[in-house]
Amino acid sequence: MNVPLLDLHPQMTLFRDQILDAVTSVIDSTRYILGSEVSGFEEEVAAYCGTRFGVGVSSGTDALLVSLMALGIGPGDLVLTTPYTFFATMGSILRVGARPVFADIEPGTMNIDPGEVERILEADRAGEQRIKAMLPVHLFGQCADMGRLLQLADRYKIPVIEDAAQAIGAQFPLVENNAVTWKRAGAMGALGCFSFFPSKNLGGIGDGGMVVTSDADLDRVLRSCRNHGAEPKYYHARIGGNFRLDPIQAVVLSIKLPHLEEWHRARRRNARLYRELFTRAGLADNPVVLPAEAHGNVKGADSANYHIYNQFVIRVPRRDALRRFLQDNSIGCEIYYPLCLHQQACLDPLGYGSQSFPVAEQAARESLALPIFPELQQEQIAYVVDKISEFF
Ligand SMILES: *Cc1c(COP(=O)(O)O)cnc(C)c1O
């Protein structure tokens, strides 16, 4: 049996005719930059997330970049983030001339640890006060502990940019006015960043991204930043860049967005089946650590975070040998991520390599992502678990 890590054919086949019609009408219109397709899709995403505004940009990376630009973060500033994420989280901080400060992760969710965040912010307040923003990542489709992170951001007076590239539609129980409100990823901080890279839960036919916010001033500045800082056209009070979302991507994403919840449910169903089968095989917890679904850490939040499983990441001993074994058995799997950000060679001149984040470093040694895409068949999941069982 062949089990790919991700297969985009079923979605492509389902929407092929609709997508061709929509793309053809963009081509025929000869309006190729922004326009009603992009603004319409921006409104749809904002409505889905529960924010006032959405600003379409060229990628998830550029969503992070324009967000940092919009907050005026640059040389001399520090941004607090996680060492265990895709490179773009840190790359965007470095690109605006700022520097990352890392807080280690929680062992369960592998998201940034609020206890570490507090320790670092407290030390910064007592010292140079250079930390100008917090950039938590909702890793693999599960929200970081936004309840505690927002409290800290409020106490230390810094804005939060959510890297929700892997988590569009994920939900977190926030306490507001003594009641629990379920909030979508991206709608809790000052700014939320999404990616429409094809492997994300909502994927385009190329690159694309979006920033959501409910702050009208930030919305205005973001729109200016994605278009060379112009405001109005040909008048540049700031620099910005060309970070616009393409209308061809917008029409494709508009076709797919109404199906996103159904795809989240299918991914969650697949995750549940993995849990059942690993448990039945006697592998759960030892040696296969299953992905944790954290509770919101708030009173009244009786159910776990709404994890959208962009990735289903297990942790195992002898990870590299297991990976080779699965690949030899035609099972797609991937390591997210083999190296923490503070260990990346591009940081060598800055001397981050000597730092240590033991929880993140252990995650980088043990993590393995298994196939989880919505159209995966039950037999395929059973085959993956059987093969892992055979390996151990
Ligand atoms: C995918 C991803 C990005 C970047 O998105 P692109 O659209 O590929 O530029 C940023 N952060 C995280 C956590 C991601 O997974």
Side-chain angles (χ1 to χ4, degrees):
M1 193 183 295
N2 179 31
V3 190
L5 181 63
L6 173 65
D7 184 3
L8 294 173
H9 284 95
Q11 274 188 23
M12 191 269 289
T13 312
L14 194 60
F15 298 115
R16 194 169 185 281
D17 293 341
Q18 238 181 309
I19 286 174
L20 284 175
D21 285 350
V23 170
T24 305
S25 71
V26 173
I27 294 171
D28 291 345
S29 77
T30 73
R31 289 187 306 269
Y32 302 140
I33 301 294
L34 296 175
S36 60
E37 292 86 0
V38 172
S39 58
F41 178 59
E42 288 173 342
E43 283 167 22
E44 289 160 17
V45 172
Y48 174 76
C49 297
T51 59
R52 286 177 66 200
F53 309 104
V55 180
V57 293
S58 30
S59 68
T61 305
D62 292 337
L64 294 165
L65 199 56
V66 294
S67 293
L68 291 161
M69 286 178 171
L71 292 173
I73 288 165
D77 296 338
L78 300 175
V79 178
L80 184 51
T81 192
T82 163
Y84 193 62
T85 170
F86 179 56
F87 180 77
T89 312
M90 168 176 90
S92 58
I93 296 169
L94 293 164
R95 287 259 319 267
V96 296
R99 295 269 185 268
V101 182
F102 300 114
D104 209 347
I105 58 172
E106 301 172 330
T109 63
M110 297 187 263
N111 275 321
I112 197 166
D113 182 338
E116 286 299 294
V117 167
E118 179 167 17
R119 190 178 59 73
I120 292 165
L121 286 174
E122 190 55 43
D124 183 64
R125 179 152 80 176
E128 292 189 292
Q129 305 184 0
R130 284 173 63 201
I131 297 179
K132 294 293 155 52
M134 193 195 297
L135 181 37
V137 177
H138 304 319
L139 198 67
F140 305 138
Q142 170 166 231
C143 288
D145 186 350
M146 290 304 287
R148 289 176 66 197
L149 293 177
L150 288 176
Q151 274 173 3
L152 292 169
D154 193 48
R155 188 194 306 162
Y156 294 96
K157 304 274 175 284
I158 54 169
V160 176
I161 303 171
E162 294 172 65
D163 182 343
Q166 302 179 2
I168 187 166
Q171 296 177 56
F172 184 88
L174 261 193
V175 175
E176 290 180 324
N177 309 319
N178 293 320
V180 175
T181 330
W182 285 88
K183 293 274 191 183
R184 296 266 193 197
M188 293 176 274
L191 298 154
C193 299
F194 299 121
S195 162
F196 306 123
F197 186 82
S199 68
K200 306 295 161 89
N201 284 30
L202 180 62
I205 53 169
D207 283 307
M210 190 165 295
V211 186
V212 292
T213 184
S214 290
D215 181 319
D217 292 329
L218 282 176
D219 172 67
R220 191 176 48 78
V221 178
L222 288 166
R223 281 175 205 285
S224 151
C225 287
R226 76 165 170 193
N227 197 19
H228 298 292
E231 197 183 0
K233 206 172 178 182
Y234 306 126
Y235 291 81
H236 301 264
R238 59 176 68 81
I239 298 166
N242 178 351
F243 302 122
R244 297 178 296 251
L245 178 65
D246 199 293
I248 287 187
Q249 299 305 330
V251 293
V252 172
L253 293 162
S254 273
I255 290 169
K256 289 186 164 193
L257 179 60
H259 302 270
L260 187 56
E261 283 301 305
E262 168 193 325
W263 294 329
H264 293 336
R265 282 196 294 274
R267 286 171 181 270
R268 288 171 57 80
R269 187 193 59 221
N270 291 343
R272 226 167 18 244
L273 185 57
Y274 269 124
R275 272 179 215 285
E276 278 168 32
L277 296 180
F278 276 121
T279 305
R280 211 179 297 163
L283 297 171
D285 298 331
N286 183 21
V288 177
V289 178
L290 296 169
E293 281 185 10
H295 288 251
N297 289 335
V298 288
K299 276 200 203 78
D302 50 2
S303 72
N305 292 343
Y306 193 83
H307 193 325
I308 58 148
Y309 288 102
N310 179 241
Q311 300 294 345
F312 186 87
V313 176
I314 59 169
R315 300 179 54 166
V316 286
R318 296 199 288 137
R319 188 264 319 267
D320 295 336
L322 174 62
R323 183 191 188 202
R324 275 191 300 278
F325 178 80
L326 293 179
Q327 285 169 340
D328 291 344
N329 284 282
S330 307
I331 294 170
C333 54
E334 188 54 272
I335 297 170
Y336 302 117
Y337 298 91
L339 206 56
C340 298
L341 294 184
H342 64 283
Q343 301 169 313
Q344 296 294 344
C346 66
L347 283 188
D348 284 354
L350 301 175
Y352 283 74
S354 59
Q355 296 189 11
S356 114
F357 300 94
V359 187
E361 286 159 30
Q362 191 181 346
R365 285 192 297 272
E366 296 179 347
S367 292
L368 189 65
L370 303 178
I372 189 76
F373 62 91
E375 298 83 3
L376 198 63
Q377 302 296 306
Q378 291 193 7
E379 306 78 62
Q380 292 177 303
I381 295 173
Y383 176 73
V384 174
V385 175
D386 278 351
K387 284 293 156 190
I388 293 175
S389 192
E390 190 182 317
F391 175 82
F392 283 112

